[in-house]
Amino acid sequence: MHDDRTLVEARLKRVLDERIRPAVYPESVPLDVAVWDAPGEPVPVAEGLAAEPSPIAVGDRWGAPWGTCWFRVTGTVPAAWAGRTVEALLDLGFDENMPGFQCEGLVYRPDGSPVKGLNPRNQWVRIGAPVAGGEEVRLHIEAASNPVILDYHPFLPTQLGDKETAGSEPQYKLERMDLAVFDETVWQLVVDLEVLGELMAELPVESARRWDILRAVDKALDAVDLQDVGGTAAAARARLEAVLAEPAAPSAHRISAVGHAHIDSAWLWPLRETVRKVARTTSNMTALLEDEPDFVFAMSQAQQWAWVKEHRPEVWAKVKKAVADGRFVPAGGMWVESDTNMPGSEAMARQFVHGKRFFIDEFGVDNQEAWLPDTFGFAAGLPQIIKAAGAKWLLTQKISWSQTNKFPHHTFRWEGIDGTRIFTHFPPVDTYNCSMKGSEIAHAARNFKDKGVARHSLAPTGWGDGGGGTSREMVAKAARMRNLEGAATVAWETPEAFFRKAEAEYPEPPVWVGELYLELHRATLTSQAKTKQGNRRSEHLLREAELWAATATVRAGLPYPYEELDRIWKTVLLHQFHDILPGSSIAWVHREAEKTYAAVADELNAIISRAQEALAPEGGLVFNSAPHAWDGIPAGGAGEPAATGGTSLAPRAEGGFVLDNGLLRVTVDANGLVVSAYDIAADRETVAPGRAANLLQIHPDFPNMWDAWDVDEFYRNTVTDLVDADEVTEGEGASVRVVRSFGASKVTQTLSLEPGARRLDIVTEVDWHETEKFLKLAFPLDLHAERYASETQFGHFYRPTHTNTSWEAAKFEACNHRFVHFAEPDWGVALVNDSTYGHDVTRTVRAEDSGTTTTVRASLLRAPRFPDPETDQGVHRFRHALVAGASIGDAVREGYRINLPRRTGAGRGGAEVAPLVGVDDDAVVVTAVKLADDGSGDVVVRFHESRGGRARATLTTGFPLTGATVTDLLERPLADAAVPARDGNAIAVALRPFELVTLRLTRASTAR
């Protein structure tokens, strides 16, 4: 037989596009449409329904950027349509290629009950099946005219990302508002032909199955009368029955389809719009669940569930019923799908505490999985946090985006810094927006790297990013692929059902140790500096607020601010979402975030002040919130600091100054650069010979795509050292003030030595007005180190300083929390910070003495123009400290100190405030002291081993202790945990490297 594949395939495409798909709706009549433009922000549903609209016609433009229009559509079902299925087709001006990225709508009945959401791939509303004819139709649409930010030519700067700059030009043209007959037989034929055509294209040309399908499709098209598609559709479908009935091979790959709508809690839209996106999507999904008995839908992010409950009670009622039926599944157990690189230890823990508790309280669901399909890499400390929250599985997708190296597994155990292993799955479908296309299903089967030992994978199925969810077309395609020769088998299942099957069939998968580094989106560690600073400051203020509030409750009877702290934690956790904290959202999001962080700081500072005033009413004491003693003041206590000597400042004959505190002698040259940082006791120089530290460097920064997200390695090819100084003068106290100008920007730095510390403090204030530039702060160290330590959640982990392999070379920009640390066996250096995360490390061998220079550079600022064209413009303030002769313990301690400055109360001083909880080994770091969330009055303390070794310590309480229980993060007793050994108020603690422990301590006055 002659090869006529291309002829039949071209025929299929044209007949589908031009004849069969249009015949799904063979008859239609127009609806009458009127519109009301809501002034300002969205209005309550009742107000939108009651407003008096004005007429509007199809073809008219509507919708200013970020506006809301309430459409009223009315009409009458023709009597001639009696007995047929009728739908309203409501096209607001959609581009079907942009579901979730443009205008959307939520349809209501006149009584205010929601019907379903409208988006580019879901424009229909069922009126009746069948209709009697003559029915009056009246629907209301709350339509959001969200502008298109990421267009066909992506990454172009736009002012549409903020309502204050977006203008008022209408964004959309009303395309279609009709009542139409829905021919289900034709619709089913469309799905049949799409599934077979897509499958056929994925099969080998020499495959008999491909030719069987080709011949069946050809015969089906022969049966279609192009002038009477509806009348011949059933005959065409009959010719496809045999090929659709052929069962899959027993060895076929098995896909667990999970209905899904990955909704970014903010991104190219503000937080307030996400509230409505979630309402639209959940309305759609509850409606689809009613129509499709096999369908299962999962939604993560407890915050989004809480929004529905708070803002859309009518939708919430439907969601609760679907959850009770076991088909609308709370997933993931986190407050939001957060970034995991930058959130601090306690914040990462609280993502699970607040997320899991919401699902437990509302539905009795205790999630076993973490669900993070779109997060930009995973910190090495995360596995033990997942386990400590009572979960055991992880799903993600984004690692498949890595540019350099292909991850070697799809199912594996991920081992964190403490040895905890979590069963982890990367769906080989390589998308968290699977639409059940044949190409996606075939790719999943081909791509799956664990063939021969495992057969299951998961496919998150539905339109996402901006929401929308699963469509009826996807459900219909999945039904045909439940058991279809040539395709993977597809079944709707919950995430839990998938993980149980996958773990059972693959009990000993390979192990991946350390961070799951995404070789992409590295610039998210730096973009939007004020958002990152707000996060870091909020995390530490929350630590202080809980510590001092708990101490004041126990010691002074001050009421504990449970509700305030709960609300503030949730606000901070929301802003750790993976497009807010990483700095990849529109201007509106980050403008609001800055205001929110300021309000959070005010509220937390007030809580701290009230507590400290209750503890020291006479004032005058210095409060130490850090986890280590500081100048004689114990961790978590208050008192008078011990004297620590002084610092001298002397001018140099050749210009510049010398700072000396007896421990560290720092030489600042005439250009304001640090040419020496000499550790006096160790007789050791910190700065590499011939080099200068505190060196600001600027690079051009124009990545190939994803401006706010990416920095491409070629940025390093061009660098300008900012060595010229406008001023190098004596500052206040014993400090050096350096002023530099470059481009349109200005930097003012203050360099100082604190008495009694081997630490050079550097405060950098930048008035930043550059575009597409990258600003770094460099420290070339005279150290030979093959690896260095970066702080992460509840510990640190090591990265190599060399680039032996492509895996190491790809980590040219990496994340740290409060410190990075470099060491030779007997001496080390730390660089600590108060608000930066991105950094890079390089090493060179000097020709003159064959010594090694290891250079660490902190990433300060960028200036991408998409999606926020004004990213980071303005004044920023950073604090860094170079710690000479530092051990890992010193790095941990100084990292906390720079982030938790001591507070001094006003007044004349008084009795010391003893710590509520103390630990006698500095290797054991307390990350939280608080009262139990259940209001029992128990004290909860969380701590970990911080240096990567074993620790034996005694934890002592400053209150009568009647009981101690080891708990999970949610403060629930661990069944398999040993009862802590206790002697009065002292508890013996033995920890493995980086082990995390939560203790619940019962006070004598609260014993039950």
Side-chain angles (χ1 to χ4, degrees):
M1 183 175 288
H2 298 296
D3 186 350
D4 60 350
R5 285 181 302 108
T6 56
L7 189 68
V8 177
E9 290 166 1
R11 180 189 186 195
L12 172 62
K13 183 180 187 309
R14 185 175 186 191
V15 173
L16 260 177
D17 288 346
E18 297 185 22
R19 291 293 188 270
I20 302 179
R21 286 195 185 98
V24 170
Y25 293 102
E27 300 176 56
S28 64
V29 295
L31 287 160
D32 293 323
V33 191
V35 65
W36 175 69
D37 291 325
E41 286 295 280
V43 300
V45 173
E47 185 177 342
L49 294 176
E52 187 58 40
S54 301
I56 186 174
V58 168
D60 290 349
R61 300 196 70 81
W62 68 277
W66 306 113
T68 301
C69 290
W70 281 85
F71 290 95
R72 184 186 67 196
V73 296
T74 56
T76 304
V77 176
W81 292 358
R84 304 172 78 178
T85 298
V86 174
E87 295 181 345
L89 299 181
L90 308 173
D91 186 344
L92 299 172
F94 297 125
D95 178 340
E96 69 170 15
N97 295 315
M98 293 187 179
F101 292 92
Q102 52 174 277
C103 59
E104 300 171 48
L106 182 54
V107 180
Y108 292 90
R109 298 182 184 89
D111 65 2
S113 58
V115 182
K116 66 190 294 284
L118 297 177
N119 63 59
R121 297 296 181 99
N122 208 326
Q123 304 177 21
W124 58 274
V125 175
R126 180 64 57 88
I127 301 300
V131 296
E135 291 95 335
E136 294 297 324
V137 175
R138 183 187 180 99
L139 298 171
H140 298 262
I141 308 167
E142 181 190 19
S145 50
N146 302 331
V148 175
I149 306 295
L150 189 66
D151 214 332
Y152 286 101
H153 187 162
F155 317 122
L156 290 179
T158 175
Q159 295 295 329
L160 290 171
D162 195 330
K163 193 172 184 179
E164 294 184 355
T165 60
S168 58
E169 186 70 21
Q171 297 292 291
Y172 297 99
K173 183 175 72 173
L174 207 60
E175 286 293 336
R176 186 176 187 182
M177 293 276 152
D178 288 345
L179 285 178
V181 171
F182 175 71
D183 190 324
E184 181 158 354
T185 303
V186 176
W187 182 83
Q188 295 285 4
L189 176 60
V190 169
V191 179
D192 289 344
L193 290 171
E194 285 182 347
V195 167
L196 290 171
E198 291 164 3
L199 172 59
M200 180 171 58
E202 298 300 322
L203 294 171
V205 173
E206 62 275 12
S207 161
R209 175 64 169 165
R210 179 165 181 158
W211 288 92
D212 288 345
I213 294 172
L214 185 81
R215 293 294 160 234
V217 167
D218 202 22
K219 291 176 183 177
L221 295 177
D222 287 342
V224 176
D225 182 341
L226 299 184
Q227 278 67 52
D228 184 16
V229 174
T232 55
R237 291 199 71 205
R239 296 188 179 187
L240 299 174
E241 287 178 357
V243 288
L244 285 168
E246 289 293 334
S251 60
H253 185 67
R254 297 169 186 173
I255 292 178
S256 296
V258 178
H260 186 49
H262 170 69
I263 304 177
D264 287 309
S265 289
W267 180 28
L268 305 180
W269 45 86
L271 286 166
R272 68 90 154 141
E273 191 55 33
T274 313
V275 175
R276 302 201 294 175
K277 283 178 175 287
V278 174
R280 296 175 200 126
T281 298
T282 52
S283 294
N284 257 351
M285 295 303 96
T286 52
L288 189 61
L289 286 166
E290 292 175 2
D291 295 338
E292 302 289 348
D294 293 332
F295 177 55
V296 175
F297 181 78
M299 189 169 88
S300 65
Q301 306 191 75
Q303 170 68 87
Q304 295 186 359
W305 293 71
W307 279 334
V308 178
K309 181 180 180 182
E310 177 183 358
H311 296 283
R312 289 291 194 271
E314 66 283 1
V315 180
W316 179 249
K318 291 187 173 186
V319 169
K320 285 197 73 171
K321 180 182 182 304
V323 173
D325 293 339
R327 297 177 59 214
F328 198 124
V329 182
M334 295 176 67
W335 190 246
V336 295
E337 289 181 11
S338 72
D339 180 81
T340 74
N341 286 312
M342 291 176 281
S345 302
E346 273 303 307
M348 200 74 255
R350 304 300 174 94
Q351 286 286 352
F352 288 91
V353 168
H354 287 282
K356 291 196 73 172
R357 186 170 288 145
F358 181 90
F359 291 144
I360 290 168
D361 291 347
E362 294 291 339
F363 307 114
V365 173
D366 189 353
N367 294 97
Q368 298 295 293
E369 77 287 337
W371 183 275
L372 289 163
D374 190 29
T375 298
F376 309 152
F378 296 87
L382 188 58
Q384 74 164 330
I385 298 173
I386 294 173
K387 181 180 178 182
K392 57 185 179 181
W393 303 312
L394 169 67
L395 177 134
T396 185
Q397 181 67 69
K398 202 71 169 193
I399 298 299
S400 67
W401 287 39
S402 284
Q403 289 178 313
T404 306
N405 299 285
K406 192 76 171 175
F407 198 80
H409 317 294
H410 280 110
T411 301
F412 60 99
R413 291 200 187 275
W414 177 30
E415 182 177 317
I417 56 174
D418 73 318
T420 297
R421 292 180 175 181
I422 295 294
F423 189 85
T424 303
H425 181 66
F426 291 165
V429 71
D430 279 352
T431 177
Y432 43 79
N433 295 325
C434 176
S435 62
M436 284 292 141
K437 283 184 179 178
S439 56
E440 294 170 336
I441 302 305
H443 175 76
R446 284 195 302 264
N447 188 41
F448 188 55
K449 295 193 181 321
D450 303 293
K451 298 181 186 76
V453 287
R455 192 174 293 166
H456 283 83
S457 72
L458 186 146
T461 302
W463 302 115
D465 291 314
T470 317
S471 68
R472 65 183 176 185
E473 289 78 13
M474 297 175 198
V475 176
K477 286 187 172 185
R480 285 156 175 81
M481 289 185 284
R482 178 180 292 276
N483 188 16
L484 180 63
E485 183 186 356
T489 64
V490 177
W492 296 105
E493 293 188 298
T494 66
E496 180 179 359
F498 161 75
F499 273 110
R500 290 197 184 283
K501 288 181 179 179
E503 196 168 24
E505 77 169 0
Y506 203 11
E508 297 297 332
V511 176
W512 182 270
V513 178
E515 67 179 327
L516 294 171
Y517 179 92
L518 177 63
E519 297 169 356
L520 192 74
H521 293 358
R522 303 166 182 90
T524 57
L525 303 173
T526 305
S527 297
Q528 298 288 359
K530 283 188 167 63
T531 299
K532 290 171 171 58
Q533 290 178 322
N535 173 73
R536 179 76 71 84
R537 185 67 180 130
S538 297
E539 289 180 351
H540 288 85
L541 284 171
L542 277 160
R543 173 197 174 92
E544 291 188 83
E546 289 183 337
L547 168 65
W548 300 121
T551 306
T553 298
V554 174
R555 294 279 164 69
L558 189 71
Y560 191 76
Y562 291 102
E563 293 183 3
E564 295 95 322
L565 289 171
D566 180 79
R567 173 175 45 78
I568 294 169
W569 262 117
K570 288 172 179 174
T571 298
V572 173
L573 297 178
L574 167 59
H575 286 79
Q576 291 178 339
F577 178 75
H578 65 251
D579 277 308
I580 303 179
L581 180 54
S584 47
S585 288
I586 55 174
W588 189 346
V589 173
H590 293 290
R591 172 172 56 82
E592 283 192 337
E594 186 175 352
K595 294 178 181 178
T596 297
Y597 284 130
V600 162
D602 289 344
E603 203 167 0
L604 289 172
N605 278 316
I607 292 172
I608 294 164
S609 294
R610 286 197 302 270
Q612 292 182 345
E613 287 168 7
L615 290 165
E618 299 297 320
L621 295 181
V622 175
F623 286 80
N624 175 20
S625 303
H628 307 96
W630 199 342
D631 292 344
I633 303 173
E640 299 284 349
T644 54
T647 299
S648 66
L649 176 69
R652 298 170 72 226
E654 58 269 55
F657 297 89
V658 176
L659 290 156
D660 193 328
N661 66 0
L663 299 175
L664 189 63
R665 184 165 60 247
V666 174
T667 303
V668 182
D669 73 5
N671 291 318
L673 301 175
V674 174
V675 293
S676 174
Y678 185 70
D679 180 349
I680 295 171
D683 188 22
R684 179 73 186 255
E685 177 58 62
T686 305
V687 180
R691 301 290 300 277
N694 189 42
L695 173 64
L696 289 162
Q697 296 179 303
I698 196 164
H699 298 267
D701 184 17
F702 190 64
N704 289 342
M705 56 194 305
W706 298 109
D707 296 43
W709 294 257
D710 283 356
V711 56
D712 289 329
E713 192 172 14
F714 55 72
Y715 89 92
R716 290 178 169 179
N717 297 347
T718 306
V719 60
T720 301
D721 293 344
L722 303 179
V723 295
D724 295 331
D726 302 339
E727 301 175 32
V728 180
T729 58
E730 183 175 347
E732 294 183 8
S735 68
V736 178
R737 182 173 182 269
V738 182
V739 180
R740 305 183 195 280
S741 300
F742 59 95
S745 303
K746 181 178 180 179
V747 176
T748 303
Q749 290 186 301
T750 302
L751 285 68
S752 61
L753 285 182
E754 183 173 313
R758 289 181 297 182
R759 186 183 74 235
L760 171 64
D761 291 311
I762 303 169
V763 177
T764 303
E765 185 174 285
V766 188
D767 189 4
W768 180 248
H769 298 284
E770 304 307 303
T771 299
E772 295 167 350
K773 296 289 194 294
F774 198 1
L775 184 65
K776 293 264 190 175
L777 182 61
F779 298 86
L781 308 175
D782 189 11
L783 267 171
H784 178 82
E786 293 186 356
R787 65 177 190 170
Y788 71 99
S790 286
E791 188 185 32
T792 189
Q793 294 97 359
F794 299 110
H796 60 267
F797 71 105
Y798 291 94
R799 295 189 185 97
T801 59
H802 57 76
T803 56
N804 281 357
T805 71
S806 60
W807 293 88
E808 291 144 359
K811 297 181 181 181
F812 59 81
E813 185 78 6
C815 182
N816 67 282
H817 287 186
R818 287 168 290 237
F819 71 80
V820 288
H821 179 261
F822 305 81
E824 294 174 2
D826 58 349
W827 192 81
V829 177
L831 180 66
V832 301
N833 72 84
D834 77 336
S835 59
T836 57
Y837 296 92
H839 69 275
D840 71 271
V841 174
T842 54
R843 65 200 295 262
T844 58
V845 175
R846 302 184 294 267
E848 55 272 24
D849 64 356
S850 298
T852 300
T853 297
T854 302
T855 301
V856 56
R857 302 194 304 165
S859 303
L860 301 187
L861 289 165
R862 300 182 67 237
R865 300 186 65 210
F866 182 88
D868 176 5
E870 303 298 323
T871 301
D872 279 334
Q873 301 300 296
V875 177
H876 305 269
R877 191 171 186 271
F878 307 96
R879 294 183 67 213
H880 292 83
L882 185 67
V883 188
S887 65
I888 277 286
D890 296 327
V892 173
R893 183 186 65 250
E894 296 299 341
Y896 272 102
R897 287 182 178 177
I898 199 171
N899 284 275
L900 288 165
R902 294 170 293 186
R903 293 175 181 257
T904 303
R908 48 199 172 83
E912 293 182 348
V913 176
L916 201 59
V917 175
V919 183
D920 65 357
D921 184 346
D922 276 356
V924 179
V925 168
V926 173
T927 61
V929 176
K930 59 190 287 293
L931 293 194
D933 291 341
D934 62 4
S936 62
D938 289 353
V939 174
V940 172
V941 56
R942 189 151 31 248
F943 52 90
H944 70 284
E945 194 289 319
S946 67
R947 299 178 184 175
R950 303 265 173 174
R952 290 188 177 274
T954 301
L955 183 147
T956 306
T957 65
F959 53 85
L961 181 65
T962 61
T965 307
V966 180
T967 73
D968 66 6
L969 295 179
L970 277 71
E971 301 166 11
R972 303 174 297 190
L974 291 176
D976 57 350
V979 177
R982 184 167 64 87
D983 182 7
N985 293 350
I987 299 171
V989 174
L991 298 177
R992 301 184 308 274
F994 301 127
E995 183 179 1
L996 165 65
V997 176
T998 303
L999 281 182
R1000 184 173 181 135
L1001 308 173
T1002 303
R1003 298 185 281 138
S1005 60
T1006 62
R1008 290 179 292 275

